[in-house]
Amino acid sequence: LYLGHASRSAMALGLHRAQVVHGNSEFLNRLRLTFWTIFYMERLMSMFTGRPSCLSDDQIDCPYPDDFPQSSEVSQKNIEFAYIRAMASLGKIVEKVMISNYSPTRTKKVSDLSEVNKVNNQCLEALQNLLDTLPCYLHFFDNKAPTGEAWQEVQRSCLGLTFYVVQI
């Protein structure tokens, strides 16, 4: 319920539109970060609860947040947002899976299953392509990846868990 309210509020503020959040300032980047965080959390809750998403991909043109440049005053902060970008990508894949497999209007006859299989294969390919975009500290699939800082390990674990749940 809360995420539905948050996502509707984000849309009401226009955070999903590029014209509202376009720019290089830290404030606008934080707005993009806020939107994409709400987006991925809402999509995952939609998947876990089996309820439709409140967000429509065709209405969203907000760019992903940019990484902050390394500086001494923010060196203690998480300045890389690859995790948010990856989770938002997973959120987009989740929506395709949900519509393809679980929409009551999607499959009405047996011949529709070939289209469902086609979309599922596209989603599996998108999942594999996502792995290529991840920085080393998010390589949850690599047993030999070195242990990172605490925040990196939390992100790696959450991303890996979500990735495999979506894949299933």
Side-chain angles (χ1 to χ4, degrees):
L1 182 66
Y2 178 74
L3 278 174
H5 179 70
S7 56
R8 285 189 297 279
S9 296
M11 303 267 302
L13 291 171
L15 298 183
H16 65 296
R17 303 302 300 179
Q19 63 195 26
V20 173
V21 296
H22 180 71
N24 292 330
S25 74
E26 183 176 342
F27 175 74
L28 293 172
N29 202 47
R30 287 285 177 191
L31 289 179
R32 292 190 295 269
L33 177 66
T34 300
F35 172 75
W36 286 112
T37 301
I38 291 169
F39 175 88
Y40 90 74
M41 293 180 82
E42 191 273 344
R43 285 288 172 87
L44 294 178
M45 288 302 107
S46 171
M47 178 183 70
F48 291 138
T49 61
R51 310 242 344 153
S53 174
C54 299
L55 304 171
S56 175
D57 285 350
D58 59 349
Q59 295 178 351
I60 299 169
D61 62 357
C62 173
Y64 287 142
D66 299 320
D67 294 334
F68 289 142
Q70 183 75 29
S71 71
S72 59
E73 63 188 47
V74 294
S75 62
Q76 299 302 315
K77 292 184 183 177
N78 176 6
I79 58 171
E80 297 178 14
F81 300 119
Y83 171 76
I84 300 296
R85 292 187 293 267
M87 293 296 278
S89 295
L90 283 174
K92 290 179 180 183
I93 295 168
V94 161
E95 183 69 1
K96 288 180 184 176
V97 169
M98 295 294 288
I99 290 172
S100 172
N101 293 318
Y102 304 111
S103 173
T105 60
R106 184 70 174 153
T107 55
K108 294 186 177 185
K109 48 190 178 229
V110 175
S111 61
D112 293 339
L113 291 177
S114 65
E115 182 63 26
V116 170
N117 288 335
K118 180 180 172 185
V119 172
N120 285 340
N121 287 332
Q122 290 170 350
C123 291
L124 284 172
E125 184 177 336
L127 285 170
Q128 291 303 315
N129 291 338
L130 175 63
L131 297 180
D132 295 334
T133 68
L134 298 176
C136 293
Y137 71 88
L138 288 177
H139 285 188
F140 58 87
F141 49 88
D142 183 4
N143 293 344
K144 296 182 176 89
T147 303
E149 295 182 39
W151 64 268
Q152 293 172 327
E153 293 306 307
V154 168
Q155 288 183 350
R156 182 186 348 216
S157 298
C158 290
L159 181 61
L161 175 66
T162 305
F163 179 91
Y164 289 124
V165 167
V166 171
Q167 190 175 43
I168 290 171

